[in-house]
Amino acid sequence: MTLGVQGDPQAVLFDMDGTLIDSERLWFEVESEVMESLGGVWTHADQENLVGGNLAVASEYMVRRAGSDVPAERVGRTLLAGMVERMRTHVPLLPGAKQLLTDVRAAGLPTALVTSSHRALLEPALDGIGRDHFDLTLAGDEVSRTKPHPEPYLTACARLGVDPPRCAVLEDSPSGLASAEAAGCRTVAVPGVVALDAAPGRTVVGSLEDVDVPFLRSLFA
């Protein structure tokens, strides 16, 4: 695999939900419906608590929040089904996502999509994002430990054959940033539902419209 010129990142790794696509809005719709069926009320504060988390954590949280005896596994299946249905209809890309993906690809930089979402949700999302933008996609149910553990990003880097400290990761959540940074990657924080602070090895931007290939190269200059 060609890794580009000196100073290039060896790879660019993207989170999906809240980073490339405006799925947090869709998640809120589905979570609100499911919580209502459990006899509770869902709030934006509840959603903030789950940003960047995985389906099992969300399901268990919702059951506790509602005080319900419905099995968390059943809640998880209902959440996933609701999101898949929506994704099959429309995948809302966030501003700057399409241009950045196109430019990174045109620059010849290896890419990966690393998400906590299950493969069942990743597949319809890829139809909207564009499968050809990625050399590798890794779903949350394809690793033993999901974000904030470093396993997802370590696995993606290993499969691409690249060195994590020479990779740029774009993330919108504290757990996703923690995962990438624990793996040793440089991170670009793109705040969405929750505010994100600058940190060593991390650059905070306003949106993906602030990121281009020269910007990514500058992280490794």
Side-chain angles (χ1 to χ4, degrees):
M1 180 180 292
T2 300
L3 299 182
V5 300
Q6 185 176 7
D8 273 353
Q10 288 186 353
V12 182
L13 294 82
F14 297 88
D15 171 54
M16 184 176 77
D17 294 288
T19 300
L20 291 177
I21 63 176
D22 187 17
S23 54
E24 296 301 341
R25 171 175 55 83
L26 302 182
W27 274 113
F28 185 79
E29 292 175 5
V30 174
E31 289 160 349
S32 296
E33 291 173 2
V34 173
M35 181 59 82
E36 184 178 358
S37 74
L38 294 174
V41 177
W42 195 245
T43 69
H44 288 287
D46 290 316
Q47 186 184 33
E48 288 181 12
N49 287 333
L50 297 178
V51 169
N54 60 62
L55 191 62
V57 170
S59 304
E60 291 166 2
Y61 176 94
M62 295 181 77
V63 169
R64 290 196 307 271
R65 182 78 168 77
S68 172
D69 58 0
V70 175
E73 294 81 2
R74 185 189 302 171
V75 172
R77 289 194 297 271
T78 305
L79 287 170
L80 186 59
M83 281 298 293
V84 169
E85 180 181 1
R86 283 165 169 77
M87 285 291 186
R88 285 175 177 163
T89 303
H90 177 54
V91 179
L93 287 172
L94 283 163
K98 182 176 182 180
Q99 189 63 55
L100 178 58
L101 289 167
T102 299
D103 292 349
V104 168
R105 207 58 167 152
L109 301 176
T111 55
L113 183 61
V114 183
T115 178
S116 293
S117 290
H118 286 202
R119 176 61 64 173
L121 182 55
L122 175 56
E123 286 301 315
L126 284 171
D127 290 336
I129 299 170
R131 298 171 184 274
D132 57 336
H133 291 302
F134 307 104
D135 296 297
L136 168 74
T137 62
L138 184 66
D141 54 342
E142 295 169 344
V143 293
S144 300
R145 294 158 294 187
T146 58
K147 304 172 187 178
H149 195 276
E151 181 181 344
Y153 283 108
L154 290 174
T155 300
C157 289
R159 292 183 183 178
L160 287 174
V162 295
D163 187 19
R166 294 294 303 174
C167 295
V169 171
L170 291 92
E171 274 278 2
D172 77 305
S173 71
S175 64
L177 290 166
S179 173
E181 289 161 4
C185 302
R186 299 284 181 91
T187 56
V188 179
V190 190
V193 174
V194 297
L196 301 170
D197 297 323
R202 177 194 302 176
T203 304
V204 181
V205 298
S207 76
L208 291 182
E209 293 178 304
D210 298 327
V211 183
D212 56 17
V213 172
F215 172 92
L216 293 171
R217 286 175 172 152
S218 73
L219 300 177
F220 301 90

